[in-house]
Amino acid sequence: MPRRAISYGRQTIEEDDIKAVVAALRSDFLTQGPLVSEFEELIKAHTGAKYAVACSSGTAALHIAHLASGIGKGDKVITSPITFLASANAALYTGASPVFADIDPNTFNIDPAEIEKKIRYNSPVKAIVPVHFAGLPADMESVRVIAKKHGAVVIEDACHALGASWKDSRGAVHRVGSCSHSDMTVFSFHPVKAITTCEGGAVTTNDKRLYERLKRLRTHGVTKDEVEFELPSDGPWYYEMQEPGFNYRLPDVNAALGISQIKKLERFVSRRAEIASLYSAMLSKHQFVRMQAESEGRSSAWHLYSVRIPFEELGASKADWFSMMRSIGIHPQVHYIPVHLQPYYRRAFGYGPGDFPRAEAMYAEEVSLPIYPGLTDEEAGAVVAGLVSTLACASAARGAVRPRAAM
Ligand SMILES: *Cc1c(COP(=O)(O)O)cnc(C)c1O
């Protein structure tokens, strides 16, 4: 009997999530209201940050985080080429230019040594935006040191990493989102992420002034708080627009889902971690598969289970393999096409192949295997069995010797 296709990621919606959303629909508030504040309180409690601003998407959250940092026309912002487009596009929206720093080929995260190199040729750099790839925290201690030295703001793109944590060199544990080594941290609540609000995102910070500005930018650049007024108030209806802002609000209906979901975060992340260990145990028998290096003390949120397979060495076409996997009902994904290779980035900034060799080598090899809380152990087993058999076929199809390790 054909089973449902196993996709690389999937939301987990339970009966109580549905009840929470229905109750919100019957309430007086549909757009931003008391549930958004309640959701923000829970984000603060989970991350340990002083302030949280919920937004309509992770992309919106990245955009206002950039604006609140004062990033604008002519500025340069460093991020990883191995990320979702939005990490780099946020700089574009403000008129700034994204500058990429190549990855560490083992952790798949931005390499601090590469950031240093890029700053040397692009000084001044206004901000560094590390991405916690697949949920594995980037080297925040090094990023912080570099940023301090060069007067750059740090915005963590933690869209993969709600629920992750890491240990510093003194042994203290930091939750991603606490902003202990950054100015702001951005999350996404897209359905494939750790928890979902359908569309949604948030910024956390410990800086009151950034917090006030983020709130203004989320809603048209308007404030109703009289301590912030530039002009004398005309009366109780008075409000002021102090800069061009947006409508980036999260609806209360979506916040209701977020509240219900964030209470399950620990359960969701531990199930993801279980699946990851299962994959790692099964794949350790197939030595041609390279897993993301687990760094000492860094605890991943396992948004992705990302591996590298040397297709070329195995004489297999990645595209053929990918299609074969889909034909047996397993839908892996590729994270990511390096951002600098996108037509727009080539055109606008003159980037091209060869500019970030480690990112490009990763792109040739990377595949993300299905991982989400609802994936069963049996399905994970089927994914690995499918991977091994299709890989053997894909390399045989090329007329190559079947990979010995895959048989
Ligand atoms: C998902 C994601 C975003 C954007 O989040 P949306 O909520 O989809 O706008 C940004 N950066 C990274 C790394 C992501 O994975």
Side-chain angles (χ1 to χ4, degrees):
M1 206 179 64
R3 48 176 165 73
R4 187 176 69 192
I6 304 173
S7 69
Y8 87 94
R10 192 185 155 75
Q11 67 274 18
T12 305
I13 298 293
E14 295 164 333
E15 266 322 298
D16 56 343
D17 296 316
I18 294 167
K19 285 209 181 92
V21 170
V22 171
L25 277 170
R26 295 188 201 282
S27 80
D28 291 338
F29 296 87
L30 294 181
T31 183
Q32 187 176 299
L35 296 179
V36 168
S37 312
E38 192 181 328
F39 184 40
E40 289 171 339
E41 287 305 314
L42 291 170
I43 295 169
K44 282 157 57 178
H46 268 275
T47 57
K50 273 195 193 144
Y51 307 103
V53 177
C55 299
S56 51
S57 70
T59 304
L62 275 167
H63 185 193
I64 60 173
H66 279 62
L67 287 173
S69 310
I71 296 164
K73 205 169 156 53
D75 288 334
K76 289 175 184 161
V77 176
I78 292 187
T79 192
S80 171
I82 293 291
T83 187
F84 182 58
L85 301 166
S87 316
N89 287 352
L92 292 180
Y93 304 153
T94 70
S97 303
V99 171
F100 300 102
D102 216 344
I103 56 162
D104 175 316
N106 300 312
T107 65
F108 312 165
N109 272 322
I110 197 164
D111 180 348
E114 293 295 314
I115 299 177
E116 277 278 23
K117 269 195 223 162
K118 284 293 163 175
I119 292 186
R120 219 172 297 143
Y121 299 107
N122 291 281
S123 191
V125 159
K126 189 87 178 196
I128 303 172
V129 182
V131 181
H132 305 302
F133 183 85
L136 182 72
D139 179 357
M140 291 310 297
E141 276 183 303
S142 302
V143 167
R144 191 50 164 172
V145 168
I146 296 167
K148 274 215 170 119
K149 192 161 100 192
H150 298 280
V153 170
V154 179
I155 302 168
E156 293 173 71
D157 181 339
C159 290
H160 296 183
L162 182 64
S165 61
W166 57 279
K167 217 185 252 179
D168 68 21
S169 45
R170 294 196 202 112
V173 175
H174 303 272
R175 269 174 286 173
V176 169
S178 68
C179 301
S180 61
H181 290 65
S182 65
D183 297 280
M184 283 171 277
T185 303
V186 172
F187 294 104
S188 163
F189 310 124
H190 176 281
V192 294
K193 308 291 165 79
I195 63 163
T196 191
T197 59
C198 302
E199 296 278 4
V203 188
T204 59
T205 184
N206 295 318
D207 183 324
K208 186 153 193 293
R209 290 183 57 179
L210 286 175
Y211 170 62
E212 299 296 347
R213 193 154 180 211
L214 289 165
K215 276 199 303 181
R216 274 204 306 277
L217 287 164
R218 172 176 64 180
T219 184
H220 309 286
V222 159
T223 181
K224 290 179 182 168
D225 184 350
E226 64 183 327
V227 303
E228 291 180 11
F229 290 162
E230 293 174 21
L231 301 173
S233 165
D234 296 338
W237 62 87
Y238 187 71
Y239 57 86
E240 270 185 5
M241 177 190 142
Q242 299 178 332
E243 63 180 316
F246 306 89
N247 177 353
Y248 280 168
R249 293 185 302 264
L250 182 73
D252 244 32
V253 176
N254 299 65
L257 182 56
I259 291 166
S260 178
Q261 288 259 305
I262 203 169
K263 293 175 180 162
K264 308 172 183 193
L265 178 63
E266 252 170 69
R267 166 160 62 93
F268 286 173
V269 173
S270 37
R271 177 59 191 155
R272 283 173 179 274
E274 250 173 45
I275 296 165
S277 339
L278 198 60
Y279 274 144
S280 300
M282 291 189 286
L283 290 171
S284 63
K285 297 190 196 88
H286 304 283
Q287 299 210 330
F288 58 91
V289 179
R290 239 171 87 197
M291 288 156 247
Q292 189 177 20
E294 288 180 52
S295 326
E296 168 75 20
R298 287 187 214 169
S299 169
S300 178
W302 294 110
H303 165 56
L304 302 174
Y305 190 84
S306 173
V307 297
R308 294 179 68 151
I309 298 174
F311 290 97
E312 207 178 296
E313 270 171 55
L314 298 174
S317 140
K318 181 168 168 175
D320 288 349
W321 171 80
F322 198 88
S323 304
M324 284 178 195
M325 285 290 272
R326 291 182 74 107
S327 72
I328 59 168
I330 300 168
H331 293 207
Q333 191 50 280
V334 172
H335 293 94
Y336 291 93
I337 302 171
V339 179
H340 71 281
L341 295 181
Q342 292 293 344
Y344 175 81
Y345 280 89
R346 294 183 190 220
R347 235 181 358 254
F349 301 100
Y351 287 120
D355 286 342
F356 299 94
R358 295 183 195 162
E360 291 163 30
M362 166 138 172
Y363 173 50
E365 297 188 344
E366 197 275 346
V367 300
S368 299
L369 303 184
I371 190 166
Y372 48 89
L375 190 81
T376 64
D377 290 4
E378 291 69 32
E379 285 172 319
V383 168
V384 173
L387 182 152
V388 172
S389 60
T390 50
L391 199 54
C393 290
S395 48
R398 270 268 184 102
V401 183
R402 284 155 66 104
R404 235 182 324 134
M407 293 196 293

